[in-house]
Amino acid sequence: MAGRNHLYIPGPTNVPNEILNAMHVTMEDHRSPAFPKLLTPLLQDLKKIFRTETGQAFIFPATGTAGWEVALTNILNPGDKVLIYRFGQFSHLWAEMAKRLGFDVEIHQETWGKGIPLDKLEARLKEDTNHEIKAVLATHNETATGVTSDIGGVRKALSAANHPAFMFVDGVSSIASLDFRMEEWGVDAAISGSQKGFMMPAGGAFLAFSQKALKAVETSTYPRCFLDLKDQMNANKDGYTPYTPALPILYGLRKALDLLLEEGLENVYARHHRLAEGVRKAAAAWGLSICAQPGFESDTVTAIMVPADKDARDVISTAFSRYDISLGAGLSELAGKAFRIGHVGDMNDVSMLGCIAGVEMAMLDNGFDIKPGSGVAAAIEYYRSTAS
Ligand code: PLP
């Protein structure tokens, strides 16, 4: 099929040509005196995206899942109690990982469509007077449901309870696209990955640790090897890595950081908000609800619910085979009930309008009772009226 297949999944996202070109490099000696000139500024500039001055950034040749593991196994000790609110596939998987790694996982189930309930969290932390909970695991943006939680609010709950637990945040589908303030919110371990807001292929796990977390790394007795932060720190201090780095990922990251910092993080967040708002307006015009409940709507991904007599998988498959666009599937509980539109990364008004038009065609082909052009019209009005 001529033309591009556009990714409207919430990761991997479309990789801009500038990043693709930057990654097209010959291999070089990662032990040469030149290598630190690449790595050291990358680690410094990553901190700007995480928005921390006192924290330290890390790059692993891995994905977001490894980032979860880095945080758990480098800061905590075997058998430690961790608390997690589970409200979608990714918070579920993080909880499962913590169980498999032998932690004592206190799981609080929330409705899919809602995020972290701050009042309940505060009450639970206040009840934990012996400070048995060693870490709170917070999924900032639950990609499965299109739900964003209030991470500043998690810090407030910890402070209100005067609780010393570490705060780990999964920012895989939020960092570099949604407002994220590691320093201000007192995040101890922030986790992200290359293939969403960073607009790169998968293969880079990006993290930042607070000083409090780094101190805990010194004494943690959890066994680890490939994901040991001490090895990273030893090598990184001189501008090197403990094992062969994924060079194209590093060159891609250089370009991604330049693009993000040049646009300005506030502009990046505002762009994602506008694009998301257009998609939400389109869904409303189609008469379809979204999974996220009011106040929890994500600006990187929207899960759109289909009527009970329809199967969202048909929309996704028609969209792909007939119109060459990729939409996100409903995961687990949402399988068949929702399709997801990713509005994250290298996107603008017209790319979103292409998506909305393609979704509309695929829904019409599957007998949805919607007016042709209604979603596109709603998004056009919104984008035009808010264009700068
Ligand atoms: N956390 C969230 C919120 C995600 O969306 C994903 C992947 O989509 C992950 C973690 C896992 O990341 P990865 O697939 O890069 O291992």
Side-chain angles (χ1 to χ4, degrees):
M1 202 184 276
R4 277 206 173 189
N5 165 268
H6 285 276
L7 290 174
Y8 296 114
I9 55 175
T13 61
N14 303 289
V15 181
N17 287 341
E18 295 100 309
I19 294 181
L20 281 176
N21 292 337
M23 294 182 70
H24 195 71
V25 289
T26 53
M27 291 302 102
E28 61 189 70
D29 176 9
H30 58 285
R31 302 195 197 283
S32 80
F35 185 75
K37 294 193 185 75
L38 170 65
L39 186 68
T40 305
L42 279 182
L43 294 171
Q44 281 308 318
D45 286 348
L46 251 187
K47 288 171 50 168
K48 297 180 187 159
I49 307 295
F50 282 80
R51 290 168 74 187
T52 179
E53 285 185 7
T54 59
Q56 195 169 337
F58 299 97
I59 300 169
F60 283 86
T63 70
T65 303
W68 286 338
E69 190 163 332
V70 170
L72 289 166
T73 61
N74 280 273
I75 297 175
L76 302 174
N77 290 292
D80 275 355
K81 185 191 268 293
V82 300
L83 181 152
I84 184 165
Y85 282 92
R86 179 169 66 181
F87 38 75
Q89 184 64 5
F90 293 100
S91 39
H92 166 72
L93 289 174
W94 201 8
E96 286 302 303
M97 169 187 277
K99 279 201 240 166
R100 284 166 67 175
L101 291 171
F103 294 101
D104 173 10
V105 190
E106 183 176 312
I107 301 177
H108 295 261
Q109 187 64 36
E110 269 302 310
T111 317
W112 284 39
K114 285 189 173 175
I116 300 170
L118 298 175
D119 44 350
K120 287 192 207 162
L121 172 64
E122 185 178 320
R124 175 66 190 103
L125 291 169
K126 281 185 171 160
E127 195 183 278
D128 182 37
T129 48
N130 290 339
H131 298 159
E132 281 169 13
I133 297 166
K134 299 299 178 210
V136 172
L137 278 47
T139 303
H140 186 195
N141 190 75
E142 175 51 79
T143 320
T145 54
V147 156
T148 301
S149 286
D150 175 1
I151 299 301
V154 172
R155 170 49 62 201
K156 283 193 192 126
L158 281 156
S159 302
N162 207 7
H163 201 293
F166 290 102
M167 183 168 149
F168 296 177
V169 180
D170 172 345
V172 172
S173 59
S174 67
I175 292 171
S177 41
L178 303 186
D179 187 9
F180 186 82
R181 308 177 210 169
M182 175 160 180
E183 190 90 27
E184 189 182 321
W185 295 340
V187 177
D188 291 302
I191 301 147
S192 197
S194 50
Q195 76 274 24
K196 298 185 197 276
F198 287 92
M199 307 172 286
M200 296 163 56
F206 306 144
L207 293 105
F209 272 35
S210 70
Q211 288 302 322
K212 178 182 163 189
L214 290 172
K215 219 179 241 161
V217 175
E218 294 302 320
T219 53
S220 161
T221 57
Y222 202 98
R224 48 188 192 261
C225 182
F226 181 70
L227 298 179
D228 196 335
L229 217 57
K230 280 188 189 166
D231 295 340
Q232 283 285 349
M233 285 192 281
N234 270 339
N236 287 177
K237 70 177 176 357
D238 300 319
Y240 293 96
T241 55
Y243 28 70
T244 317
L247 265 185
I249 288 286
L250 299 184
Y251 279 103
L253 179 60
R254 179 66 271 157
K255 182 49 83 176
L257 292 172
D258 291 345
L259 291 172
L260 288 164
L261 295 172
E262 189 187 321
E263 182 175 357
L265 287 179
E266 296 299 339
N267 296 329
V268 170
Y269 307 150
R271 174 167 55 81
H272 281 82
H273 177 70
R274 260 187 87 250
L275 296 177
E277 202 52 31
V279 171
R280 292 190 282 262
K281 299 252 186 260
W286 293 326
L288 299 179
S289 60
I290 66 171
C291 181
Q293 298 198 11
F296 290 110
E297 299 94 336
S298 162
D299 285 341
T300 52
V301 52
T302 300
I304 299 179
M305 309 301 294
V306 300
D309 63 337
K310 298 288 179 206
D311 190 327
R313 286 169 283 219
D314 295 334
V315 178
I316 297 166
S317 128
T318 306
F320 183 74
S321 55
R322 231 174 248 175
Y323 304 116
D324 208 11
I325 64 171
S326 297
L327 302 171
L331 300 176
S332 184
E333 290 191 13
L334 291 182
K337 296 183 187 155
F339 60 86
R340 292 174 302 146
I341 295 181
H343 25 82
V344 45
D346 187 36
M347 297 278 191
N348 61 20
D349 295 3
V350 174
S351 35
M352 287 329 300
L353 288 170
C355 172
I356 295 167
V359 168
E360 212 161 82
M361 292 194 286
M363 288 198 296
L364 286 164
D365 294 353
N366 282 287
F368 279 58
D369 183 20
I370 58 163
K371 188 164 162 258
S374 53
V376 173
I380 282 176
E381 279 314 304
Y382 175 74
Y383 290 148
R384 284 184 58 238
S385 67
T386 55
S388 52

